[in-house]
Amino acid sequence: VVSGPAYADNEFIVNIDNPNFRKLVVAIPPFEIPKDAPDDVKKVGEQAADELGRLLSFSGLFNILASAAYKDIKPKEVPAGKEANGMEDIDVIQWRAIGVESLTMGKIEPEPGGSLTITLKTADINRSRLVLGKRYRQVTSDQISKVMRRYADLILQAYTGKPGIFDTKFVFIGRRKKENNKHVFVCDFDGSNVRQITKGNTTHLSPTWSPDGKFITYTSYKDNNPDLYIHELATGKTRKLSGEKGLNSGSNWSHNGKVVAFTGSNAGDTDIFSVLPDGSKRRVLIRGSGLDVDPTFSPDGKWILFVSGRFGNPHIFRGTLKWNSDDDVR
């Protein structure tokens, strides 16, 4: 998917904590399709508009207006030879009259070879201004949902100032059947497209994303020891990060994705260890009497928090980190 230039506007303030909060009324008319386009392209146009509406509705910030309310509103005529990149084809008065506050219009055009070009734009009707526009080229039919998710994320960012959630995924531990072992699964933000990452007749625990979302670390007992593994989503490759006898669990990634901290045992004592994503430089990061477990890096990498029983009861401690380089921390 190749995206073209985006149109930008000032951010909107959406205060969901305000007791008078009201969802923004949104209209998403059926996307424009060439009259001579094949039936499968027309079907894609309908599915794309429906999917975008579903995503915005899922966010809880938008109220999607039923198409029956604007079935008689047609795009304004644009002079021949001029492309409607802005507000030229939007009848603001009619849209405003039926209470629409945000309007997203789309156009789907077939390309040679069977791919599609999808052009989208979103207008703020109250201010009569375009807030977002995007063109996606070389889109295949099975990428339509992905394109809509990317554009929905941009709409949320335009209206809230924060990135959307629609292109995110969950990682979790689950069982397909009650009698099965626990395994690592990944799914989309709405619970769809569930995919099992681990296999085998053994238990898996504590999955954690890398900051860039490309890797998952988790603990597996497949070698009869709680060992730490790393899985690359793009290739499906899995390798062991730490397999020292004893505990290798509870991993957490540093802010820059260069270091993995985890709970490890050494000569009967449980401490906080670190290791690089390639499995090298395994070392003790936090040592103390009693159990030290569950490390978590601060977002800026200056601190590491962990739970320790060194004073008897479990307490949360904060340790100061010193970075000698991007992947060398003490």
Side-chain angles (χ1 to χ4, degrees):
V1 179
V2 181
S3 56
Y7 303 97
D9 200 0
N10 294 329
E11 296 175 352
F12 295 84
I13 303 300
V14 180
N15 186 0
I16 62 175
D17 296 321
N18 189 323
N20 297 318
F21 170 73
R22 178 182 57 81
K23 295 181 180 181
L24 201 69
V25 180
V26 175
I28 307 176
F31 291 172
E32 180 184 348
I33 307 292
K35 293 182 179 180
D36 58 349
D39 291 339
D40 59 338
V41 175
K42 295 178 181 178
K43 187 176 181 180
V44 165
E46 296 173 0
Q47 292 174 341
D50 289 344
E51 175 67 1
L52 183 59
R54 183 186 75 86
L55 295 171
L56 295 182
S57 179
F58 184 92
S59 73
L61 300 177
F62 303 95
N63 181 22
I64 310 303
L65 193 64
S67 59
Y70 51 82
K71 62 180 181 179
D72 295 328
I73 300 180
K74 307 297 181 184
K76 293 172 64 176
E77 293 290 334
V78 179
K82 183 177 181 181
E83 187 176 359
N85 289 324
M87 301 291 293
E88 300 91 347
D89 59 341
I90 299 176
D91 194 327
V92 173
I93 295 176
Q94 289 200 59
W95 287 111
R96 189 181 294 158
I98 62 172
V100 171
E101 297 169 287
S102 177
L103 171 68
T104 294
M105 300 175 66
K107 182 179 181 181
I108 297 182
E109 302 169 282
E111 295 180 357
S115 58
L116 304 168
T117 291
I118 302 178
T119 305
L120 300 162
K121 65 180 180 181
T122 298
D124 177 68
I125 299 301
N126 290 330
R127 300 194 302 168
S128 302
R129 295 177 64 181
L130 199 68
V131 297
L132 181 66
K134 203 76 171 175
R135 177 173 289 127
Y136 301 88
R137 296 185 175 90
Q138 299 177 354
V139 180
T140 60
S141 57
D142 59 351
Q143 292 177 318
I144 296 298
S145 179
K146 186 174 183 178
V147 169
M148 292 303 105
R149 292 185 181 194
R150 287 187 178 181
Y151 192 76
D153 279 340
L154 293 175
I155 292 178
L156 254 69
Q157 188 163 20
Y159 279 93
T160 68
K162 296 181 180 180
I165 63 169
F166 302 121
D167 207 29
T168 60
K169 296 182 182 295
F170 288 108
V171 62
F172 62 97
I173 294 294
R175 293 187 177 103
R176 290 195 177 273
K177 295 181 180 180
K178 186 176 180 180
E179 63 272 16
N180 290 161
N181 290 99
K182 293 180 179 179
H183 285 282
V184 180
F185 292 82
V186 171
C187 71
D188 291 348
F189 75 99
D190 57 357
S192 62
N193 297 324
V194 177
R195 181 158 58 101
Q196 185 172 331
I197 298 300
T198 58
K199 298 179 180 179
N201 188 26
T202 190
T203 297
H204 303 81
L205 301 169
S206 306
T208 305
W209 289 108
S210 64
D212 58 10
K214 295 180 179 180
F215 299 92
I216 295 173
T217 49
Y218 62 90
T219 296
S220 173
Y221 284 77
K222 69 179 183 179
D223 289 338
N224 299 315
N225 187 70
D227 298 329
L228 186 64
Y229 288 82
I230 184 169
H231 176 87
E232 185 175 11
L233 268 73
T235 64
K237 294 181 179 179
T238 300
R239 48 191 165 80
K240 189 180 294 187
L241 277 186
S242 179
E244 297 294 323
K245 186 177 180 180
L247 190 62
N248 304 269
S249 182
S251 59
N252 191 276
W253 292 71
S254 63
H255 65 298
N256 59 7
K258 301 292 186 180
V259 177
V260 179
F262 64 97
T263 303
S265 57
N266 185 14
D269 190 21
T270 301
D271 295 307
I272 305 301
F273 286 72
S274 66
V275 67
L276 301 191
D278 63 3
S280 65
K281 296 185 179 180
R282 182 185 187 273
R283 61 168 67 121
V284 178
L285 190 59
I286 301 289
R287 188 192 300 276
S289 60
L291 299 178
D292 298 326
V293 299
D294 298 333
T296 300
F297 288 95
S298 64
D300 58 8
K302 293 181 179 181
W303 316 94
I304 187 165
L305 278 72
F306 60 98
V307 177
S308 177
R310 61 185 64 189
F311 292 159
N313 293 325
H315 296 285
I316 298 176
F317 289 78
R318 185 182 74 176
T320 303
L321 297 175
K322 179 182 178 181
W323 293 86
N324 299 314
S325 64
D326 286 345
D327 62 0
D328 184 8
V329 62
R330 306 281 180 171

